[in-house]
Amino acid sequence: MSKITAAITAVGAYVPDFVLSNQVLETMIDTNDEWITTRTGIKERRILKEKGKGTSFLAIKAAQNLIEKSGINPEDIDLVLLATATPDMPVASTGVYVASQIGAVNAFAYDLQAACSSFLYGMSTAASYIQSGRYKKVLLIGADKMSSIIDYTDRATCIIFGDGAGAVLFEPNEEGMGLQDEYLRSDGIGREYLKIDAGGSILPASAETVQNGQHTVFQDGKTVFKYAVSGMADVSEKIMQRNDLTHNDVNWLLAHQANKRIIDATAERMGLDESKVLINIHRYGNTTSATLPLLMHDFEKQLKKGDNLIFAAFGGGFTWGSIYLKWAYDTK
Ligand code: COA
């Protein structure tokens, strides 16, 4: 019997309607379109405005989009994995609620948190369940309502992030398609450079933490940038080397959309022509767990069966890594 590999067989996505453009940000903080565009590549991001709606709203929409497009029966899903850094609540798994809402009544579900690498790590987790033979349909959703943890008076962070969600289905494949190799890394040195100070077990929420603005993202952008550039390029080069892939063999780079300059540096180290680098950061900004599935969704028609895809991500913690995957289907 041939070895079971874990292939992506369907993709879905959702972004909220409200567009927060650089021009609107110019009216909110001391910044300008030219600065944001040249430093990050971002032109606009989507924001979930409606009160009372959280990450689960985005995740459910993305999953429903996948279910509609693929025609799968949600009752056949074995596991729902929700990659997110912004769960609906600190306790009560958001993924469990999402699974129930989409009709995945026979699945078990849980959340997976590794900052901006959540979806990449989730790909590894989802694929492992499939490769083990234990489960046949694993739905991996990446969703974040970043606007819920951003201080819109802090120009160093509010220009970068946006809200969104994407979903993929992992299934067994006997043609050798799907996940081929992974190289995942982490280093606790990153804890000080990208974080939310309060609301966790070290510093629970109090009137003081709210007053001090300790419930929103702090980042030392320069330091994160430096680690992200070398981290993402290192792992992408390594995964190419150990799979004997040259730049000619790689069809597409799908890199976490945090900053266009970080993506360009990774592509350059891989020797890739820019035509092979999938980019949508100008439309959504950094949607944390949703960047990679949003890329697959937006460029689905261009991906062909057998194409070699390299995924790369970098996030808080620090967490980072690269995955080599063979695309499993053509879109009509
Ligand atoms: N508009 C205009 N000016 C801004 C600005 C904004 N939104 N934000 C910062 N500036 C200013 C700074 O105050 C600074 O001014 P000064 O030189 O007078 O002190 C100048 O621009 C340069 O700031 P700096 O922070 O050094 O800019 P940078 O080139 O490092 O770009 C980031 C800032 C945040 C875009 C960049 O560091 C970055 O992308 N870091 C990685 C972020 C990331 O990927 N995070 C998620 C990881 S998953």
Side-chain angles (χ1 to χ4, degrees):
M1 211 177 88
S2 58
K3 187 177 156 231
I4 298 172
T5 50
I8 290 175
T9 57
V11 176
Y14 175 78
V15 290
D17 294 334
F18 184 85
V19 176
L20 178 60
S21 66
N22 290 351
Q23 286 71 24
V24 174
L25 280 172
E26 284 177 5
T27 67
M28 296 163 56
I29 45 166
D30 181 14
T31 191
N32 59 77
D33 175 49
E34 203 256 330
W35 192 95
I36 301 173
T37 306
T38 53
R39 299 287 175 122
T40 70
I42 302 167
K43 286 296 209 183
E44 57 188 43
R45 15 13 238 125
R46 300 301 184 96
I47 307 291
L48 180 58
K49 282 278 192 186
E50 292 94 325
K51 276 207 163 53
K53 287 184 177 162
T55 292
S56 61
F57 177 82
L58 303 167
I60 290 165
K61 289 275 194 192
Q64 286 171 337
N65 177 241
L66 180 149
I67 290 165
E68 270 165 38
K69 275 172 61 187
S70 65
I72 64 156
N73 181 350
E75 292 181 8
D76 293 339
I77 297 170
D78 300 304
L79 163 62
V80 176
L81 273 176
L82 178 64
T84 186
T86 53
D88 283 359
M89 310 169 192
V91 176
S93 166
T94 307
V96 171
Y97 176 70
V98 171
S100 295
Q101 292 297 306
I102 63 172
V105 290
N106 296 312
F108 72 106
Y110 61 93
D111 297 350
L112 195 154
Q113 211 281 50
C116 289
S117 302
S118 300
F119 191 86
L120 188 89
Y121 284 15
M123 288 173 70
S124 163
T125 309
S128 302
Y129 278 119
I130 297 287
Q131 287 156 358
S132 73
R134 251 184 304 166
Y135 303 111
K136 302 271 183 271
K137 281 185 169 43
V138 177
L139 181 67
L140 171 64
I141 309 170
D144 269 302
K145 184 183 169 186
M146 292 305 292
S147 61
S148 65
I149 54 167
I150 295 298
D151 172 2
Y152 283 91
T153 63
D154 175 12
R155 67 177 183 174
T157 53
C158 76
I159 57 148
I160 294 171
F161 295 98
D163 302 339
V168 298
L169 185 69
F170 274 93
E171 291 187 278
N173 184 284
E174 293 196 357
E175 294 178 295
M177 298 294 141
L179 196 142
Q180 308 292 310
D181 193 17
E182 63 180 40
Y183 184 55
L184 307 182
R185 310 291 308 138
S186 63
D187 187 342
I189 196 176
R191 185 165 153 122
E192 290 311 310
Y193 303 117
L194 180 51
K195 60 178 176 176
I196 295 177
D197 274 317
S201 55
I202 291 181
L203 188 59
S206 66
E208 200 184 345
T209 60
V210 172
Q211 206 167 11
N212 294 341
Q214 289 172 292
H215 290 274
T216 48
V217 172
F218 158 84
Q219 84 162 345
D220 172 348
K222 259 201 182 344
T223 305
V224 175
F225 185 88
K226 204 179 74 193
Y227 277 97
V229 164
S230 57
M232 258 181 33
D234 286 351
V235 291
S236 305
E237 190 178 41
K238 172 123 182 164
I239 210 147
M240 282 174 72
Q241 280 168 357
R242 73 181 193 190
N243 289 281
D244 294 325
L245 297 172
T246 70
H247 60 93
N248 291 321
D249 302 316
V250 175
N251 297 96
W252 309 105
L253 169 66
L254 293 88
H256 172 54
Q257 308 282 293
N259 185 315
K260 174 82 163 49
R261 291 186 290 147
I262 299 173
I263 303 166
D264 289 345
T266 302
E268 194 178 312
R269 180 89 79 81
M270 294 167 73
L272 282 193
D273 188 80
E274 65 176 2
S275 61
K276 294 183 169 185
V277 183
L278 302 186
I279 299 281
N280 59 11
I281 190 171
H282 52 291
R283 297 172 60 201
Y284 309 126
N286 180 351
T287 54
T288 301
S289 308
T291 59
L292 297 180
L294 276 171
L295 281 175
M296 283 182 261
H297 173 265
D298 287 4
F299 293 93
E300 189 181 15
K301 287 197 176 76
Q302 278 167 249
L303 307 176
K304 299 288 169 227
K305 185 174 176 182
D307 277 0
N308 290 320
L309 277 54
I310 302 291
F311 293 84
F314 188 91
F318 293 127
T319 55
W320 73 104
S322 184
I323 282 178
Y324 164 33
L325 177 139
K326 273 189 185 292
W327 195 248
Y329 64 96
D330 295 323
T331 307
K332 285 168 205 90

